[in-house]
Amino acid sequence: MKFLDQAKIYVRSGNGGAGCVSFRREKYIEYGGPDGGDGGKGGDVIVECVDGLNTLIDYRYKQHFKAGTGIHGMGRNRTGAHGDDVVLKVPVGTQILEEDNETLIADLTELGQRVLLMKGGNGGFGNAHFKSSVNQAPRRANPGLEGEEKWIWLRLKLIADAGLVGLPNAGKSTFLATVSAAKPKIADYPFTTLHPNLGIVQIDGHSFAMADIPGLIEGAHEGTGLGDRFLGHVERTRVLLHLVDGSGEEDPGEAYRVVRGELEAYGAGLMDKPEIVALSKCDALTDDLIAERSASLEVACGQKPLVLSSASGQNVDRALRMIVRAIDKDKEDAANQVPAPEQEGWHP
């Protein structure tokens, strides 16, 4: 299935049905009076998070969604039926934005979460509604209210605990394939990964989700390479594992600074996330070269990098345990930031 994380669609709620002008006329019944029913309510537009989806590919081939129109009222005080609702089913982590692709309407982060995006128009009153002591034979009814319509953007941001970042060909996909059952494409040329991949990692009884995104190059925030749009998939992560290719010709310190520069240009709090730095592909290096390149990377990142090799398994488990500790610490810090019950008006 093709991975699609962004889609623009047109949505419209249903119009309300019109009220009815009708009078009861039956043999042997005197003064039947008005009996026009009200129109039915138009259908709503609802967005719901469901299980089993991990892409917005359903909205690639159908972009127009219209709720049903309410049925008009009828005689004998019959109210029209409500129009059918439109339910847009999206994966967990989907954001709904206005047509400008910037104004956030809703962020769906929990399974089963539902958002009423547009309300259908109310049905019009029939003439029976206007009957009074001074107007016993009203000959007017209201039309139904029109529904709302607009274009919106759906943007998917994967829900993951840890994210992999780095330059192209830094070994991110190989690492994900080593530690999880995910099967990303792996090859010896840049930009092998063209869309994000998600894998479930297990270590020492702990389980967490890890996201791998396409590599970043200098100028990605200006659209160079694949751009930085896929960085949205690591916005929700609790920790970043930054892999720097130790076997490449580029200086590891400079490679680290390039990626950090792109993270800073993107914003969204990525610079503030806990970061674990690792020098990857070290199975292809001599001890002297490892020491030299680790020193260069340490100067750039301000911490001692982890010497890592996905091919040989060197320090892979250590990296996972460091990620687990960072995730647990972030969860603990988030729990400590929850306001105390006393601050919410609750008193023991």
Side-chain angles (χ1 to χ4, degrees):
M1 179 183 292
K2 181 179 179 182
F3 184 87
L4 187 72
D5 64 347
Q6 190 165 279
K8 185 179 182 181
I9 62 174
Y10 170 85
V11 289
R12 192 184 197 287
S13 58
N15 295 336
C20 174
V21 176
S22 174
F23 294 91
R24 184 177 184 183
R25 293 183 177 89
E26 295 183 47
K27 192 175 182 180
Y28 306 122
I29 296 180
E30 189 177 13
Y31 309 119
D35 66 350
D38 300 338
K41 176 182 171 297
D44 300 329
V45 178
I46 300 170
V47 185
E48 180 182 9
C49 264
V50 298
D51 196 12
L53 294 179
N54 55 13
T55 175
L56 297 173
I57 191 64
D58 292 342
Y59 302 99
R60 168 66 177 83
Y61 304 104
K62 182 180 179 182
Q63 291 88 30
H64 294 76
F65 299 88
K66 300 178 182 179
T69 300
I71 305 301
H72 301 320
M74 293 169 280
R76 301 178 65 182
N77 291 311
R78 287 177 292 178
T79 300
H82 295 334
D84 294 332
D85 296 336
V86 165
V87 180
L88 306 178
K89 297 183 178 181
V90 298
V92 177
T94 301
Q95 291 183 331
I96 309 171
L97 300 102
E98 295 282 5
E99 188 176 3
D100 60 7
N101 207 6
E102 294 180 0
T103 307
L104 182 65
I105 300 175
D107 192 0
L108 307 176
T109 58
E110 297 179 3
L111 192 63
Q113 188 174 353
R114 289 168 66 95
V115 172
L116 177 60
L117 188 61
M118 287 182 179
K119 194 173 181 180
N122 289 327
F125 291 133
N127 67 335
H129 181 85
F130 299 103
K131 180 176 65 174
S132 68
S133 60
V134 296
N135 186 9
Q136 297 187 16
R139 286 174 167 79
R140 71 183 184 92
N142 287 346
L145 297 179
E146 290 190 357
E148 306 172 64
E149 61 179 350
K150 61 181 173 182
W151 287 88
I152 60 171
W153 283 93
L154 300 178
R155 182 189 300 167
L156 174 62
K157 294 182 179 179
L158 295 178
I159 303 293
D161 298 300
L164 293 170
V165 296
L167 290 175
N169 232 24
K172 302 184 296 298
S173 296
T174 304
F175 182 83
L176 182 66
T178 300
V179 300
S180 72
K183 297 180 180 180
K185 184 178 180 180
I186 299 173
D188 59 351
Y189 54 84
F191 296 114
T192 307
T193 302
L194 297 178
H195 58 78
N197 295 294
L198 195 65
I200 303 300
V201 183
Q202 294 183 346
I203 180 74
D204 298 336
H206 296 273
S207 177
F208 62 90
M210 177 176 286
D212 166 33
I213 65 170
L216 300 169
I217 62 174
E218 190 170 6
H221 66 282
E222 298 175 346
T224 306
L226 294 179
D228 62 357
R229 181 168 65 90
F230 291 118
L231 279 175
H233 295 286
V234 295
E235 278 186 32
R236 305 180 192 271
T237 58
R238 299 178 182 274
V239 59
L240 298 177
L241 176 59
H242 189 157
L243 297 182
V244 180
D245 186 2
S247 63
E249 298 180 359
E250 189 172 6
D251 177 58
E254 181 59 28
Y256 174 83
R257 282 187 284 268
V258 167
V259 174
R260 291 295 288 181
E262 296 304 319
L263 295 181
E264 183 176 9
Y266 180 82
L270 293 183
M271 290 290 289
D272 301 327
K273 291 186 180 294
E275 182 186 50
I276 299 171
V277 182
L279 189 69
S280 65
K281 302 184 181 181
C282 290
D283 56 295
L285 304 177
T286 62
D287 292 342
D288 292 341
L289 204 52
I290 290 175
E292 176 187 339
R293 300 197 170 182
S294 294
S296 172
L297 184 55
E298 184 175 358
V299 171
C301 67
Q303 61 175 284
K304 187 173 180 60
L306 193 64
V307 177
L308 184 72
S309 172
S310 300
S312 65
Q314 181 183 2
N315 284 333
V316 169
D317 287 349
R318 183 181 174 189
L320 297 181
R321 293 187 178 101
M322 292 174 67
I323 292 174
V324 169
R325 286 196 296 270
I327 292 173
D328 291 342
K329 184 177 184 304
D330 186 76
K331 289 181 179 178
E332 182 180 348
D333 293 343
N336 293 334
Q337 291 176 2
V338 175
E342 293 81 359
Q343 296 174 332
E344 298 178 354
W346 178 85
H347 300 281

